[in-house]
Amino acid sequence: MNDLGINRVLTEMRALQARSKLPAQEVAPTAPTAPAQESKESGFVNAMADAVRDLNTKQAESGKAQEAFQLGRMDLATTMLKMQESSVAFRAAVEVRNRAVSAYQDIMNMPL
């Protein structure tokens, strides 16, 4: 992957990170019912679920845009833009998955 591709992936990851922080700040504080470790875990799980939902939405929009272009309802530039957004989001998700697997393998290979 060249520098331009890496910068796009990093930009997308930063955007996902920024979006994942917004809902946590808007929620009113409530009485803790679970240990702090579980709340951190659920925050990560929620962030990942939101990222996957966003990826799915972008891919669905890309498919709809392709179909609309084929039917003559959408212009080529908009269709290509939706396809590229979907592609960049997918590559970012794959990169995050690869990094997570690599981190897991590093941890599992650590001597006790």
Side-chain angles (χ1 to χ4, degrees):
M1 186 179 275
N2 59 19
D3 288 340
L4 185 59
I6 291 171
N7 288 334
R8 279 192 220 153
V9 170
L10 288 173
T11 303
E12 185 71 23
M13 289 172 66
R14 287 182 185 123
L16 289 172
Q17 180 184 22
R19 274 190 261 150
S20 70
K21 288 182 181 178
L22 289 177
Q25 294 172 353
E26 294 174 348
V27 175
T30 60
T33 58
Q37 186 178 14
E38 288 182 15
S39 71
K40 287 181 185 177
E41 211 172 289
S42 66
F44 177 76
V45 170
N46 290 338
M48 292 304 293
D50 289 343
V52 170
R53 261 189 244 105
D54 186 46
L55 173 62
N56 186 41
T57 302
K58 286 184 186 217
Q59 288 184 332
E61 287 175 359
S62 173
K64 288 178 184 176
Q66 291 174 30
E67 185 177 327
F69 175 73
Q70 291 171 355
L71 295 173
R73 298 181 192 153
M74 189 176 283
D75 62 283
L76 179 62
T78 306
T79 304
M80 293 301 293
L81 182 64
K82 297 261 185 212
M83 291 171 61
Q84 286 300 314
E85 286 176 354
S86 172
S87 176
V88 169
F90 182 75
R91 282 187 270 149
V94 168
E95 187 64 29
V96 168
R97 185 220 43 198
N98 290 345
R99 299 261 176 123
V101 168
S102 177
Y104 173 78
Q105 289 173 341
D106 288 346
I107 291 169
M108 293 306 293
N109 290 331
M110 283 183 181
L112 296 177

